Amino acid sequence: DGGSIRLFEVDPPLQVRGELLPLGNRLLAFWADQVPHEVLPPRKDRFACTFWYLDRDVDPSSVGFEKAPATQAAAAAGSVFLD
């Protein structure tokens, strides 16, 4: 049904390291900024979650989750995920 994730080697660039199929109850976690990757087009609807982990102290440039533009827009639209 498509939607596989393709992982690449860092060196040599663009050499395919492997592909993983989207299977139920499968979790794939990796440092996206360190592992070159792409998601291949799906042939049916898929669900994916992306989490961002920041390992630095809060500073003046940090934006709290409740103040993020997407969060405010979802709240204004009555999103059930924020209730």
Side-chain angles (χ1 to χ4, degrees):
D1 293 325
S4 296
I5 187 165
R6 181 176 288 158
L7 304 172
F8 297 96
E9 295 287 349
V10 173
D11 190 28
L14 299 181
Q15 181 176 330
V16 175
R17 181 174 188 158
E19 288 185 11
L20 291 158
L21 296 171
L23 300 176
N25 294 320
R26 173 174 278 174
L27 172 69
L28 174 64
F30 60 95
W31 299 116
D33 63 337
Q34 297 175 17
V35 179
H37 63 282
E38 70 174 325
V39 178
L40 302 177
R43 291 190 291 273
K44 67 178 191 177
D45 288 343
R46 297 279 185 207
F47 175 80
C49 262
T50 302
F51 295 92
W52 292 86
Y53 172 75
L54 301 176
D55 60 349
R56 65 180 178 148
D57 293 330
V58 175
D59 63 30
S61 68
S62 299
V63 176
F65 180 79
E66 67 281 352
K67 295 181 182 176
T71 302
Q72 291 177 344
S79 172
V80 297
F81 296 107
L82 299 173
D83 293 339

